[in-house]
Amino acid sequence: MAILKIAKMGHPALRAPSAEVADPTAPEIRRLIDDMLETMIDADGAGLAAPQVHVPLQVVMFHVPEGRDEDVLDVVPLTVLINPVVEPLTDERSVDWEGCLSVPGMMGAVPRYTEIRYRAMTPGGERIERIAEGFHARVVQHECDHLDGFLYPQRMEDLSLLMFSDQLRYHGEGDDKDAADVDE
Ligand code: NI
């Protein structure tokens, strides 16, 4: 296992669409997942996508730890999605704070669909399908956006809410001060 270098906003690896993984069970995919996991833990992230470690393949991982989501009591153990497809189940979107390991030191208020269905392959070669809401839905949309070459600022509707994390902490708005950040 190895800790990989994380690409920062501006690197072309973060703007390119990723390719489908032909064989989710291939040894090189296993190795990539092991390295991504070690990298995500080292960086204290809630999620990571392969393009963030300069690999243009459709692989993401995330988890939802306890206490992360106040509205939805949804603890999700580490989940690896290969070739994921996300489908909104509602037109409703909510705005909440996100961070990203590729946009270090910053946070932004990002609208996301409140309920989604996602389908993917697991590293074991099985199909997975889940319905998600709250932070779970948010983190999946954030990570899967990386596979299409999108970073969260591109999803923002009000760029005045793109801030340095310390400013949000000191001058943030009420309850939002402690709001969920996705990658950091
Ligand atoms: Ni990110």
Side-chain angles (χ1 to χ4, degrees):
M1 301 230 290
I3 294 172
L4 306 172
K5 190 175 180 196
I6 297 176
K8 289 187 196 166
M9 183 165 63
H11 195 290
L14 296 169
R15 292 201 297 270
S18 297
E20 274 194 32
V21 174
D23 177 5
T25 65
E28 62 267 26
I29 298 301
R30 181 77 257 169
R31 207 152 41 236
L32 169 66
I33 290 166
D34 287 348
D35 289 346
M36 284 176 62
L37 180 57
E38 194 173 3
T39 304
M40 185 179 82
I41 290 169
D42 176 69
D44 199 21
L48 190 68
Q52 291 184 276
V53 293
H54 310 86
V55 176
L57 290 174
Q58 293 178 15
V59 179
V60 303
M61 60 178 56
F62 67 92
H63 63 127
V64 181
E66 198 171 351
R68 200 61 189 256
D69 194 323
E70 291 167 5
D71 302 324
V72 182
L73 296 174
D74 200 1
V75 173
V76 184
L78 177 75
T79 300
V80 178
L81 302 178
I82 298 170
N83 304 335
V85 176
V86 175
E87 172 196 352
L89 294 179
T90 173
D91 291 332
E92 188 192 330
R93 295 187 300 165
S94 69
V95 175
D96 210 339
W97 296 98
E98 294 183 17
C100 180
L101 295 174
S102 293
V103 191
M106 301 200 81
M107 298 197 74
V110 188
R112 299 285 186 189
Y113 292 109
T114 55
E115 190 177 12
I116 61 167
R117 175 189 290 125
Y118 61 90
R119 298 185 175 90
M121 299 295 287
T122 70
E126 280 151 18
R127 289 180 192 285
I128 182 174
E129 177 178 333
R130 284 181 186 159
I131 289 174
E133 47 189 326
F135 181 76
H136 183 189
R138 177 170 294 277
V139 72
V140 169
Q141 290 171 82
H142 177 117
E143 298 310 332
C144 291
D145 258 1
H146 279 296
L147 305 181
D148 293 325
F150 283 90
L151 296 176
Y152 77 78
Q154 292 163 268
R155 296 298 191 201
M156 291 179 64
E157 287 169 355
D158 180 356
L159 281 174
S160 75
L161 296 175
L162 180 63
M163 339 188 155
F164 290 105
S165 310
D166 60 348
Q167 298 304 301
L168 176 63
R169 215 168 296 129
Y170 295 133
H171 307 294
E173 300 140 30
D175 293 342
D176 288 341
K177 270 190 279 193
D178 304 318
D181 47 333
V182 163
D183 264 7
E184 291 184 320

